[in-house]
Amino acid sequence: MEIASMNNDEKPSNFFTKGLLWFKSSHEKIFAKIVGIAKQLKTIAKDDPRRVIHSLKVGLSLTLVSLFYYFQPLYNSFGVSTMWAIMTVVVVFEFSVGATLGKGLNRGMATLLAGALGVGAHYLASATGKVMEPILLGLFVFLQACALTFIRFFPQVKARYDYGMLIFILTFCLVSISGFRVDEIVDMAHKRISTILMGASVCVIVSIVVCPVWAGEDLHKLVAQNMEKLGKFLEGFGDEIFKSSEDITESKVTKTSLIEYKSVLNSKNTEDTLANFAKWEPGHGQFKYRHPWKQYLKIGGLIRQCACRIDALNAYINSEIKAPEEIREMIKETSMKMSIECGKALKELSKSMRKMNLPISADEHVTNAKNSAKKLNALLKSRINNWEEINLLQVIPLATIASILTDIVNCVEEIGQGVNELASLANFKTTKSCKEIINTNKVMVVEKIELSNNHVVITINEQNMKL
């Protein structure tokens, strides 16, 4: 009996102990999750402080439009329709000015046009009588929904006006169908359209006035940053590829900066989105009205082509190339110079794009890289007869590297031409250093020599040398 009573006393104590331990462990897990979320919030805000400002701007816009609900005179004018202004702020306000302006204009114009057509459709249908009115309204809704939904598949419309098409379909249906049961259709449409336009206007004004985020500037910086990433890789590639086998293991750990280029391969969607938003933005700073945003997409495409070739080169880093030492030493100097000069050219192009200056200094590096490519080609042709006793399978990796580097030189030259076109279209500035380079590369060209009154007349013209 005593043993049984002792066991009964131990059960409640064990249950209490387990419950206490469970509560303690769950409390620690919850606290750990809260700390993890706080760290994540701090990281997101630290990566781009503009995100915090954007959150505050959205809160400010919602507070401003909610005043229509709080103040009785404003509420008496618009009534329950003021909720449409709040809904507009929630769906229209975006991170950048271009995205907000694009959505705001799409929503405003679509609401205005669809509201007017919806009222017209209602009066046209009501004039036919009670029997034909619902049939005509259904026909109008069917036709406009089918037509606009099909138009949305056009790539140009999909890119810029897709949201407007959706709002047009929604507004037309709401106005025309609700008018069948509501007598004061014009007053209802007027209130809804007015509140939606006011909500969109608040979004656009706050987005532009309070710490604006320009999609055009982000696109400009992204393209320049991508060029710089490729330049860093090419500058470091020459030192890495010809390392001895003892240094390969160390380079796997220390040269993490060489993989930054991988983000360039997946940048197309971001560039297309930013370019689309930038077209909606008004002129600001150095980006004037009708800035050549399409040229950025062209340069971005060339950069990705170069990044694809760099990705192929990256496969040879940290891999032991078993080629004869004689051949390695023969192509080492020219290959390293090609890679380094291409890297310097891309970094100079990136620098000039960031500052919006003429990229004259990059032409010299491109010329040096092309000369090195020609020298490497000549070396390979002159020594190819001496490779009869060499295993060709050992030579193929080095020949592949030389071929890819030659393609990269051509890619860098095309990128330079694209940046020069952008500089011409966007009127990049000419710095003092650029003027000095232009002046030092002027040559005197003799146009004609003639005799006049026993004197020799020489006509001379100044021309710029092509760098």
Side-chain angles (χ1 to χ4, degrees):
M1 294 293 293
E2 293 180 358
I3 295 173
S5 62
M6 289 177 64
N7 290 334
N8 291 332
D9 293 337
E10 288 178 358
K11 286 181 180 180
S13 63
N14 290 336
F15 179 78
F16 179 76
T17 304
K18 290 179 180 179
L20 184 62
L21 292 174
W22 176 84
F23 178 77
K24 185 178 180 181
S25 62
S26 61
H27 180 268
E28 292 177 353
K29 289 179 180 179
I30 293 172
F31 182 75
K33 285 184 178 180
I34 293 174
V35 172
I37 293 172
K39 288 181 178 179
Q40 189 176 8
L41 290 172
K42 182 180 179 181
T43 302
I44 293 173
K46 192 174 181 180
D47 289 342
D48 192 351
R50 298 179 302 176
R51 294 169 180 168
V52 179
I53 299 175
H54 172 70
S55 303
L56 297 175
K57 287 160 65 175
V58 173
L60 175 63
S61 300
L62 284 172
T63 303
L64 290 175
V65 296
S66 64
L67 295 177
F68 290 96
Y69 227 85
Y70 298 148
F71 288 101
Q72 193 64 34
L74 295 175
Y75 182 78
N76 292 336
S77 300
F78 298 101
V80 185
S81 297
T82 52
M83 290 302 297
W84 287 92
I86 297 174
M87 291 172 59
T88 300
V89 172
V90 173
V91 298
V92 167
F93 210 114
E94 295 288 342
F95 185 70
S96 65
V97 173
T100 304
L101 194 58
K103 264 196 167 183
L105 290 176
N106 267 283
R107 187 175 180 87
M109 294 302 297
T111 302
L112 189 63
L113 292 175
L117 289 177
V119 172
H122 165 71
Y123 278 108
L124 182 63
S126 61
T128 61
K130 293 294 182 182
V131 177
M132 291 297 296
E133 182 179 1
I135 298 175
L136 278 179
L137 285 176
L139 179 63
F140 291 151
V141 170
F142 174 79
L143 290 176
Q144 67 90 21
C146 290
L148 293 179
T149 302
F150 184 77
I151 291 173
R152 288 179 60 203
F153 289 107
F154 285 77
Q156 297 86 351
V157 176
K158 189 77 173 176
R160 302 195 68 186
Y161 307 109
D162 187 64
Y163 181 70
M165 293 293 173
L166 286 174
I167 296 301
F168 188 97
I169 295 171
L170 174 64
T171 305
F172 184 88
C173 293
L174 287 175
V175 173
S176 60
I177 295 174
S178 60
F180 184 72
R181 299 293 182 184
V182 179
D183 295 330
E184 298 178 355
I185 180 66
V186 177
D187 184 59
M188 180 195 69
H190 174 263
K191 288 181 179 180
R192 288 187 181 180
I193 292 172
S194 299
T195 51
I196 288 172
L197 291 177
M198 284 187 288
S201 301
V202 169
C203 291
V204 172
I205 292 171
V206 172
S207 179
I208 294 176
V209 174
V210 182
C211 300
V213 177
W214 303 103
E217 287 186 6
D218 288 347
L219 176 62
H220 184 83
K221 293 176 181 177
L222 177 63
V223 174
Q225 186 180 16
N226 287 343
M227 272 194 288
E228 187 177 7
K229 288 178 181 178
L230 300 189
K232 286 181 180 179
F233 177 91
L234 290 172
E235 279 192 329
F237 176 79
D239 295 331
E240 285 292 307
I241 194 62
F242 293 102
K243 276 191 173 184
S244 60
S245 58
E246 292 81 6
D247 299 329
I248 289 177
T249 305
E250 181 184 354
S251 64
K252 288 181 181 179
V253 181
T254 57
K255 295 296 181 180
T256 56
S257 61
L258 293 179
I259 62 173
E260 289 183 355
Y261 78 92
K262 290 185 180 292
S263 62
V264 180
L265 296 170
N266 302 317
S267 63
K268 186 180 187 307
N269 290 336
T270 305
E271 290 176 3
D272 290 342
T273 303
L274 290 175
N276 182 34
F277 293 156
K279 291 175 183 177
W280 289 104
E281 294 176 347
H284 55 279
Q286 294 178 306
F287 305 96
K288 306 302 180 184
Y289 179 66
R290 299 184 68 84
H291 193 76
W293 301 115
K294 286 185 177 180
Q295 187 65 23
Y296 287 89
L297 298 180
K298 179 182 176 181
I299 296 173
L302 294 172
I303 291 173
R304 280 188 296 277
Q305 291 179 17
C306 186
C308 290
R309 289 164 173 78
I310 286 177
D311 195 39
L313 273 183
N314 188 51
Y316 292 94
I317 293 182
N318 302 331
S319 63
E320 189 175 354
I321 301 175
K322 298 178 181 179
E325 193 66 26
E326 177 188 355
I327 299 176
R328 288 171 62 93
E329 291 298 325
M330 180 183 69
I331 70 170
K332 178 179 178 180
E333 182 180 352
T334 51
S335 297
M336 288 181 64
K337 188 169 184 181
M338 287 168 62
S339 180
I340 292 172
E341 290 295 335
C342 286
K344 288 181 178 179
L346 288 173
K347 292 178 79 172
E348 286 293 332
L349 291 171
S350 173
K351 182 180 177 181
S352 66
M353 270 198 66
R354 289 179 188 275
K355 297 182 178 181
M356 298 190 76
N357 296 329
L358 290 176
I360 294 178
S361 56
D363 295 339
E364 182 180 356
H365 298 296
V366 174
T367 303
N368 293 337
K370 290 172 67 176
N371 292 335
S372 298
K374 291 178 181 178
K375 184 178 178 182
L376 178 61
N377 189 29
L379 277 173
L380 293 175
K381 285 182 178 180
S382 63
R383 301 294 181 86
I384 195 170
N385 294 328
N386 300 330
W387 292 1
E388 296 177 357
E389 299 179 357
I390 298 175
N391 186 356
L392 291 179
L393 293 177
Q394 296 179 349
V395 181
I396 286 175
L398 289 177
T400 304
I401 292 172
S403 175
I404 296 174
L405 281 173
T406 304
D407 287 342
I408 289 175
V409 172
N410 296 329
C411 285
V412 172
E413 185 179 13
E414 292 179 358
I415 293 171
Q417 292 173 358
V419 175
N420 284 323
E421 290 178 13
L422 176 63
S424 176
L425 294 171
N427 298 320
F428 280 11
K429 296 179 294 184
T430 304
T431 60
K432 292 182 179 180
S433 58
C434 293
K435 292 178 180 179
E436 291 175 359
I437 293 174
I438 293 173
N439 292 330
T440 55
N441 287 278
K442 283 184 177 179
V443 295
M444 310 300 289
V445 179
V446 178
E447 288 190 344
K448 58 182 179 178
I449 302 175
E450 56 185 2
L451 294 173
S452 176
N453 298 326
N454 297 326
H455 294 282
V456 179
V457 179
I458 303 175
T459 305
I460 298 176
N461 183 26
E462 280 191 350
Q463 292 184 2
N464 291 331
M465 287 181 65
K466 187 177 180 181
L467 297 175

